[in-house]
Amino acid sequence: MFFLHVSSALCLRDWYFGQRLCSPVFVSLQVRVIPLELQKLFAHLLLLDQLAASTTDLTDSFGWSSNEEMSQQDVQELNRILFSALESSLVGTSGSDLIQRLYHGTVVNQIVCKECGNVSEKQEDFLDLTVSVNGVSGLEEALWNMYVEEELFEGNNLYCCGLCNNLVRAAKSAKLRKLPPFLTVSLLRFSFDLTKCERYKEMGRYTFPVRINLRPFCEKAERADSEYEYELFSVIIHKGGCYGGHYHVYVKDIDHLGNWEAPEEEAKPKLLNKDVKPPDSTLEREDPLSVLKAILSREESNCVLVDQLGQKLLDKIGVSWNKKFRKQYGPIGKFLQSHTDTFLLASNGTRVHLKLAGSAAPEPSQSADGEKMVDLSSPSDEHHWFDLNDSIVRPIREKDIEKQFQGKESAYMLFYRKLELQRPAEAKENPRYKVPVHLLQEIEEENGKLTQTRLEFDASSNTVEVRLHLASHYRVENGALQLCSSPQESVLQLPFDRRKTVGDFRLAVYQMQDQWEGDMALTVAKSLPAGLHLYDMLLDDSQSLYSAGVSDRSDLFVWNGREVGGVSIQTGEDWEPVLLTLLKPMEVVEDAAPGSGLCESPRGVSAGTTLGALRLALGREEALLCQEERAQGSPVSGWRVFPQDDMQKTIRELALRDGDSILILEPQALDTSQFTMNGDVVTVTTPSECRWLLVSYSPGGVAGGQEEGKTVQIPATGNMQESRRDSHYSHATGQFQDIKTVHAAVRG
């Protein structure tokens, strides 16, 4: 990650944008590519419509390989390497002394002889001031130790004076002689433990001021105080240990190029906190204008600091502005600007006033208490700070810098600028300031391509294919809609942008159906095992398809909203059809194959239908309805008879699901050997599982003879799958029996 744009974007940018670095002679020299790529990078950072700008071209201009680009780089060393490369690349141009003028300072080391007063001095240039962290409380103490304290040569440690030509007492000190416009301070966070023979990171508290006067650390000179006043405008932060970590940076927005919004307060209200007032019952919590007016009206002067307004709103209603209103109304500052008839800003936009109804509002230039007012439609002059962390940029407050005084995540490099430096008025809120025309054209083309790519992506990601089911191809049967033609004819595929409204979609369907007459209803449908069922109707034509819940492969039923084929339609979850399996005893014919003795048929039943209504619809008013209760691993199925009270319950209330079976038995069926009833449980025995037979026998050999018949229960033996050649059908049991076995049992 590069932080050059943090420490020097304002100064280097203006110079680079003012040079013709794209001349053929310049580009022909490979070393000169570095300034050209920096110029391009600054333009991309300012104007390209992307979250992050790539630094690949810049690192390629260094001659780095992919391994060097991916290796850990110390930001201080990288800063020096880059500035050195820039100085080399600018030799022979009008900017050859640019780095020297902007960043280089001078330190003078002096040794003063206490005997003759001779001064021996040595001058050194610096690109950044490297200050100690270990054992020092902060930057000012470190500078005091470096440039105010003197080292004395005395006792056994004397200084050899060149003028006295003798060992004498002397004092050694250092002073700042020349201060650069931009001062870079590197903090020695990493140290070496000689005892443990390992590196470690200093994580103790180390303070540094937002504004600093360097006069005490400089040579005495008759200069104005303004030349020594510096303000902090950037802090590079290192998170991690001495063997690796991550950099991010705090930046002051000097040119007002960012869109700063007050960060959401970290402190959340506690339910038991006495300071948090419950919401006012008379307060319109859903109306932000009413909320803010109520807050300001309860202040003595009807005004409050803008920074405190968000916290007061949080205390008042228990929810922050960002969570409650931001999505609909935007940032709180933008909301205030859009209601100039109600609010006024004072003190350079840091204080908001409430205009009282029925009283004369103060003049825009001066408030009632004498404060200077500012038009809400114009941005504030206050500088704001941002945290740049890879592609994530978030607003922060100046007080958040104090969090980086200590800890595993702490300040690593500080960047100060002279307070007297003034940015040109035309640079304020103008990211195109001094950007060359050819770069503006190039970026406009790239932004156009990005816009087109995003439009194509949005179109593809928001285009859904809706399946339209036409009512004319359906009939109502067993509580559900059933197709009466092929799916190709009855179902139409319609691709559509889900961001468009229901009204737009309805119009598109009208255009597809030229012969449609009357009202058109669009209802969400779903294919169920029993058939197609309808749910919610799309009524709000101003609502988007996405908001209406329409997604890819959604089913919509196109009808008149009342009936299909003359049959009224019940819609919604309460009327979902359930596909049940109805079982009843099989009526055996002569050629019927042996089996379970039950015939089954599927039937769709509306979930809102009562069990009694189902029995009535089947024409079996006296029949018993049973629900299967098969024990796991048992070949015999048990059926619980629905009690009479269940006849008034719906299919949904009985928790019947698709595939559940219901046995329908006439009372006389219990007289057979296939069905046995014990309490409210009916046991069904299939022919292959039959263990006994009930046989009616007449001595004369003919049923219905003069002699009284005889009924006996006999065991069932023999192979039921044998040919019927040796079998006899018993009408009493509805079963085939082995003739020999039957005769033997009866004679006994």
Side-chain angles (χ1 to χ4, degrees):
M1 173 183 286
F2 278 90
F3 295 100
L4 178 65
H5 63 285
V6 172
S7 63
S8 52
L10 299 178
C11 48
L12 291 181
R13 184 195 76 171
D14 295 351
W15 184 86
Y16 285 132
F17 287 164
Q19 305 304 307
R20 298 185 58 84
L21 301 182
C22 56
S23 64
V25 176
F26 192 95
V27 178
S28 64
L29 301 175
Q30 183 64 30
V31 71
R32 303 285 172 87
V33 176
I34 297 177
L36 182 62
E37 292 300 337
L38 272 175
Q39 184 187 64
K40 185 177 179 181
L41 177 60
F42 287 145
H44 282 194
L45 286 168
L46 289 167
L47 300 171
L48 193 61
D49 189 16
Q50 282 184 320
L51 289 177
S54 173
T55 59
T56 302
D57 292 340
L58 181 60
T59 54
D60 288 345
S61 70
F62 296 164
W64 283 1
S65 64
S66 58
N67 291 335
E68 290 172 311
E69 291 176 2
M70 297 302 296
S71 63
Q72 291 281 345
Q73 300 285 345
D74 181 82
V75 69
Q76 180 186 10
E77 292 299 322
L78 179 62
N79 192 61
R80 290 178 176 176
I81 292 172
L82 182 57
F83 278 12
S84 176
L86 285 174
E87 286 185 298
S88 299
S89 66
L90 296 175
V91 172
T93 71
S94 60
S96 58
D97 63 340
L98 180 67
I99 302 298
Q100 181 76 25
R101 286 189 289 107
L102 295 178
Y103 293 96
H104 278 269
T106 303
V107 173
V108 58
N109 295 294
Q110 297 179 338
I111 299 179
V112 180
C113 177
K114 295 293 186 180
E115 301 295 333
C116 65
N118 178 50
V119 178
S120 173
E121 66 178 34
K122 180 181 179 182
Q123 183 172 295
E124 297 177 353
D125 285 348
F126 66 86
L127 182 63
D128 57 72
L129 293 179
T130 303
V131 298
S132 177
V133 173
N134 185 21
V136 182
S137 62
L139 175 62
E140 291 170 303
E141 182 182 347
L143 292 175
W144 184 274
N145 294 341
M146 293 171 62
Y147 302 115
V148 177
E149 294 286 351
E150 293 183 340
E151 179 184 356
L152 297 179
F153 296 99
E154 56 186 2
N156 295 330
N157 184 26
L158 297 176
Y159 169 69
C160 181
C161 177
L163 187 59
C164 299
N165 196 22
N166 196 9
L167 294 176
V168 296
R169 292 183 304 108
K172 180 181 179 181
S173 64
K175 292 289 183 182
L176 295 172
R177 172 167 289 178
K178 174 181 173 294
L179 294 174
F182 296 89
L183 179 64
T184 304
V185 180
S186 299
L187 308 183
L188 286 175
R189 286 282 183 186
F190 302 117
S191 301
F192 188 83
D193 190 330
L194 295 175
T195 304
K196 298 181 179 179
C197 291
E198 64 180 13
R199 297 180 66 202
Y200 67 96
K201 180 179 179 180
E202 296 281 357
M203 300 184 187
R205 182 176 177 82
Y206 189 91
T207 63
F208 47 89
V210 175
R211 288 191 179 185
I212 187 171
N213 188 314
L214 297 180
R215 180 185 284 276
F217 317 115
C218 298
E219 283 187 318
K220 293 182 179 179
E222 296 297 329
R223 297 176 186 172
D225 259 358
S226 59
E227 295 190 28
Y228 300 97
E229 292 285 344
Y230 281 78
E231 66 171 348
L232 185 71
F233 73 97
S234 180
V235 181
I236 292 181
I237 299 158
H238 180 265
K239 180 180 181 180
C242 57
Y243 296 105
H246 174 71
Y247 291 111
H248 64 106
V249 62
Y250 288 174
V251 186
K252 190 174 186 178
D253 186 12
I254 295 177
D255 274 354
H256 294 268
L257 299 177
N259 182 21
W260 194 88
E261 299 171 359
E264 187 173 344
E265 297 293 335
E266 295 181 359
K268 297 182 179 179
K270 298 180 181 180
L271 295 178
L272 299 179
N273 192 341
K274 296 181 179 179
D275 296 333
V276 178
K277 301 177 182 178
D280 194 335
S281 58
T282 62
L283 196 63
E284 293 291 340
R285 294 187 56 186
E286 300 303 322
D287 180 15
L289 187 61
S290 299
V291 175
L292 295 178
K293 287 173 65 177
I295 292 173
L296 291 171
S297 64
R298 296 183 182 183
E299 298 292 326
E300 283 188 25
S301 57
N302 292 325
C303 68
V304 70
L305 291 174
V306 174
D307 289 347
Q308 296 177 359
L309 187 59
Q311 183 63 44
K312 288 183 177 292
L313 181 140
L314 182 66
D315 294 340
K316 174 62 67 177
I317 65 174
V319 183
S320 69
W321 174 276
N322 286 350
K323 290 185 178 179
K324 183 71 175 177
F325 301 117
R326 179 180 175 128
K327 185 175 181 180
Q328 183 175 357
Y329 299 99
I332 191 170
K334 183 178 179 181
F335 181 82
L336 294 174
Q337 292 178 15
S338 64
H339 292 80
T340 54
D341 58 333
T342 307
F343 306 108
L344 281 177
L345 284 182
S347 303
N348 291 329
T350 61
R351 185 182 297 273
V352 59
H353 287 252
L354 176 66
K355 290 183 178 180
L356 298 178
S359 61
E363 293 294 327
S365 60
Q366 191 173 9
S367 67
D369 54 1
E371 290 181 318
K372 184 179 179 181
M373 307 298 287
V374 63
D375 186 359
L376 281 172
S377 61
S378 63
S380 169
D381 288 335
E382 181 186 355
H383 297 296
H384 294 114
W385 287 79
F386 290 91
D387 178 13
L388 279 67
N389 195 344
D390 289 339
S391 62
I392 300 174
V393 179
R394 66 182 183 89
I396 61 171
R397 301 190 184 279
E398 192 173 81
K399 64 182 181 181
D400 291 332
I401 298 175
E402 299 178 5
K403 299 177 183 178
Q404 309 305 331
F405 284 170
Q406 62 189 357
K408 193 172 183 179
E409 181 179 0
S410 51
Y412 188 63
M413 291 186 72
L414 312 175
F415 298 90
Y416 288 88
R417 65 193 299 271
K418 281 191 175 181
L419 197 59
E420 65 180 2
L421 294 177
Q422 296 295 324
R423 295 289 297 154
E426 56 270 23
K428 188 175 182 180
E429 299 181 354
N430 181 18
R432 303 169 70 90
Y433 176 66
K434 281 194 175 183
V435 179
V437 176
H438 74 279
L439 279 179
L440 289 176
Q441 294 173 347
E442 177 184 327
I443 290 176
E444 286 178 2
E445 292 177 2
E446 291 188 35
N447 283 336
K449 293 178 182 178
L450 287 171
T451 301
Q452 183 62 31
T453 301
R454 287 168 182 153
L455 289 175
E456 293 173 358
F457 175 79
D458 287 344
S460 62
S461 60
N462 286 289
T463 298
V464 295
E465 191 171 81
V466 182
R467 295 184 293 193
L468 299 176
H469 300 259
L470 306 180
S472 57
H473 295 272
Y474 281 83
R475 69 179 187 277
V476 181
E477 183 178 323
N478 294 333
L481 294 166
Q482 309 293 340
L483 276 172
C484 53
S485 60
S486 65
Q488 291 76 13
E489 297 177 357
S490 59
V491 182
L492 303 179
Q493 309 286 345
L494 178 59
F496 206 77
D497 192 334
R498 64 178 181 173
R499 294 170 295 182
K500 293 186 177 181
T501 65
V502 173
D504 295 333
F505 185 80
R506 193 188 308 276
L507 180 60
V509 178
Y510 264 121
Q511 294 172 349
M512 292 177 61
Q513 301 295 310
D514 297 335
Q515 306 301 322
W516 189 276
E517 295 182 358
D519 296 334
M520 175 185 289
L522 300 174
T523 305
V524 178
K526 184 179 180 181
S527 293
L528 301 175
L532 193 70
H533 184 63
L534 307 185
Y535 293 86
D536 298 327
M537 191 177 297
L538 305 184
L539 300 175
D540 187 359
D541 279 0
S542 63
Q543 188 180 31
S544 68
L545 288 184
Y546 177 78
S547 300
V550 177
S551 58
D552 193 36
R553 309 294 293 174
S554 288
D555 294 286
L556 291 180
F557 194 70
V558 184
W559 60 316
N560 58 17
R562 297 180 300 276
E563 47 80 24
V564 175
V567 180
S568 179
I569 303 296
Q570 300 284 359
T571 63
E573 293 184 359
D574 292 340
W575 296 94
E576 280 185 350
V578 179
L579 186 62
L580 300 176
T581 301
L582 303 182
L583 302 175
K584 58 183 179 179
M586 182 183 298
E587 295 181 2
V588 181
V589 297
E590 184 176 352
D591 295 331
S596 66
L598 300 174
C599 64
E600 61 181 46
S601 61
R603 185 183 181 98
V605 182
S606 174
T609 303
T610 63
L611 195 61
L614 172 61
R615 184 170 64 175
L616 185 63
L618 295 173
R620 304 291 184 90
E621 298 183 23
E622 302 298 328
L624 299 177
L625 300 184
C626 312
Q627 185 177 12
E628 186 175 17
E629 293 183 344
R630 179 185 291 273
Q632 187 175 3
S634 172
V636 180
S637 58
W639 296 79
R640 184 184 63 82
V641 179
F642 286 105
Q644 189 61 33
D645 291 344
D646 285 354
M647 294 298 112
Q648 305 303 318
K649 295 182 179 180
T650 64
I651 300 298
R652 179 179 296 277
E653 292 171 341
L654 293 171
L656 293 175
R657 300 288 182 265
D658 292 317
D660 286 355
S661 299
I662 292 182
L663 177 63
I664 306 171
L665 286 179
E666 297 294 344
Q668 58 269 26
L670 297 174
D671 295 335
T672 67
S673 60
Q674 187 177 2
F675 304 100
T676 304
M677 186 169 181
N678 183 13
D680 63 347
V681 177
V682 175
T683 302
V684 179
T685 306
T686 63
S688 61
E689 299 165 349
C690 187
R691 296 294 179 265
W692 59 272
L693 300 172
L694 189 66
V695 179
S696 296
Y697 175 76
S698 299
V702 180
Q706 294 181 354
E707 297 185 30
E708 184 179 355
K710 183 178 180 182
T711 301
V712 295
Q713 178 177 315
I714 62 174
T717 60
N719 187 354
M720 290 299 173
Q721 305 301 325
E722 290 181 354
S723 170
R724 298 184 184 182
R725 182 181 63 251
D726 298 325
S727 301
H728 171 73
Y729 182 78
S730 171
H731 290 279
T733 63
Q735 307 284 349
F736 285 99
Q737 318 299 333
D738 183 87
I739 293 178
K740 296 178 181 179
T741 304
V742 171
H743 285 178
V746 173
R747 284 197 302 270

